[in-house]
Amino acid sequence: MELHVKKTLLVVALFALSVSAVQAQKLTGAGATFPYPIYSKWFSEYSAAHSGVEVNYQSIGSGGGIRQVTAGLVDFGASDMPMTDEMLASSKVKLLHVPTVLGAVVPVYNVPGVSQIRFSGDVLADIYLGKISNWNDGRIAKDNPGAKLPDQKIIVVHRSDGSGTSFIFTDYLSKVSKEWAGGPGKGTSPSWPAGVGGKGNEGVAGLVRQMPGAIGYVELIYALQNKIAYGSVKNVAGNWVTASIEGVTDAAASIKQMPADFRVSITNAPGAKSYPISSFTYLLIPVQGKNAENRKVLKDLLSWIIKSGEGEVSALSYAPLPEALAQKELQIVYNLK
């Protein structure tokens, strides 16, 4: 009798282990650092609520995320830059763009004794072109009457890795500066005319904090978390706008007809209150999945993000998706194979 009980318990234990192995699912993703704070929160919460599910996301920059997902190395990629037609055509994997949140890229600076600085687009472009090299330059002073700008060299900081944040920033510069558009242009890894590089939004924020006289660009939450000063930017309407959820939302509202594939730019958007360096960020989802069980989890994760996760984004200074866009995305997610 005792032997029978032991055998029964062993069978039950083995069955439990088998069920646990079947249920355990690990999703892998890689890409943008711009949305990493909210992605980290989402993936942690989802895993905690779904026993046996692990979401491993590598915050390596949009360029790295695109490379990994197009090579079929991860379950999903992430990019702030919409992939071009050429990139999509050359990918080994057919991909969908799924916008997740909207955010703002802000010019951060470390100028001792100066807490507020305004930046017009042409001035930002010329700083990054190396044409404006001192903080007391007359063009910066003109936009900042009364500010005590020091006679101090500007240290330009940019990303060293392939970056969607760089794409957003240079997409904006290309719209406000013909010289930038005809020179470095827009991209995840432009040929920077001046400056030093930092890896990820974290790296740029760290360098700016460490170096008096530095200027850089990061997603808004990185400026807030690192307590770095960031400037207001002149928008199309001629107004000085400080980055905010409202300003990003107004920029998104300028898109009257969202493309069916969701690939769109909202930098330098019209509107009195629009923040000019705003952008969607995307998850890059393969149209067909290799692992059926992982695919079920990915679909459920995406629907959870759209239906529940969006309610958490404002606390990290991102703007949520417009409701109409969220509903369109849900239909696409439900139809994933």
Side-chain angles (χ1 to χ4, degrees), residues 2 43 54 63 74 84 99 117 131 172 233 254 264 280 323:
E2 185 179 348
F43 298 156
E54 180 182 347
V74 289
T84 64
I117 300 182
K131 295 177 66 176
Y172 167 70
V233 183
S254 70
V264 68
F280 286 96
E323 182 59 29

Side-chain angles (χ1 to χ4, degrees), residues 102-263:
L102 298 110
V105 175
V106 296
V108 290
Y109 57 89
N110 181 350
V111 183
V114 183
S115 58
Q116 297 288 333
I117 300 182
R118 294 173 168 180
F119 295 99
S120 55
D122 60 317
V123 167
L124 275 175
D126 282 352
I127 288 173
Y128 271 80
L129 285 167
K131 295 177 66 176
I132 296 177
S133 58
N134 200 290
W135 280 108
N136 67 356
D137 185 277
R139 290 171 63 194
I140 301 176
K142 181 181 177 182
D143 289 336
N144 295 274
K148 296 181 179 179
L149 298 166
D151 180 8
Q152 184 169 24
K153 180 178 174 59
I154 297 174
I155 303 170
V156 171
V157 182
H158 54 73
R159 289 284 287 274
S160 59
D161 52 332
S163 158
T165 308
S166 290
F167 173 82
I168 298 165
F169 188 61
T170 57
D171 182 47
Y172 167 70
L173 295 183
S174 294
K175 291 179 180 179
V176 296
S177 166
K178 289 183 179 179
E179 187 171 352
W180 188 275
K186 63 182 179 180
T188 58
S189 298
S191 180
W192 297 103
V196 296
K199 187 175 182 180
N201 273 277
E202 306 94 330
V204 171
L207 286 175
V208 172
R209 282 191 68 182
Q210 294 166 20
M211 299 189 298
I215 184 172
Y217 57 90
V218 296
E219 205 284 328
L220 175 58
I221 189 62
Y222 289 89
L224 295 172
Q225 289 180 339
N226 287 279
K227 295 180 172 57
I228 308 173
Y230 58 95
S232 57
V233 183
K234 182 181 281 189
N235 68 10
V236 173
N239 297 321
W240 298 103
V241 183
T242 302
S244 66
I245 294 169
E246 294 74 20
V248 173
T249 301
D250 284 353
S254 70
I255 304 299
K256 303 305 180 186
Q257 185 64 45
M258 175 66 73
D261 61 9
F262 305 129
R263 292 184 295 160

Side-chain angles (χ1 to χ4, degrees), residues 22-68:
V22 170
Q23 289 178 338
Q25 297 296 324
K26 183 175 182 179
L27 294 180
T28 58
T33 66
F34 178 97
Y36 178 67
I38 188 63
Y39 284 2
S40 178
K41 180 177 175 63
W42 280 345
F43 298 156
S44 176
E45 288 182 356
Y46 184 84
S47 296
H50 296 77
S51 180
V53 173
E54 180 182 347
V55 185
N56 179 12
Y57 180 74
Q58 299 175 10
S59 177
I60 60 174
S62 295
I66 289 172
R67 285 192 296 274
Q68 291 207 16

Side-chain angles (χ1 to χ4, degrees), residues 30-32 60-72 74 76-84 87-88 91 95 97 162 164 188 284:
I60 60 174
S62 295
I66 289 172
R67 285 192 296 274
Q68 291 207 16
V69 74
T70 55
V74 289
F76 63 90
S79 176
D80 313 315
M81 181 191 82
M83 291 174 63
T84 64
M87 293 167 75
L88 288 169
S91 173
L95 296 166
H97 286 69
T188 58
L284 305 174

Side-chain angles (χ1 to χ4, degrees), residues 288-307:
Q288 296 287 341
K290 295 178 181 179
N291 181 308
E293 291 303 315
N294 272 20
R295 196 66 170 179
K296 289 179 183 178
V297 175
L298 179 59
K299 288 178 65 174
D300 188 65
L301 170 63
L302 291 172
S303 62
W304 177 86
I305 286 172
I306 296 168
K307 291 187 290 186

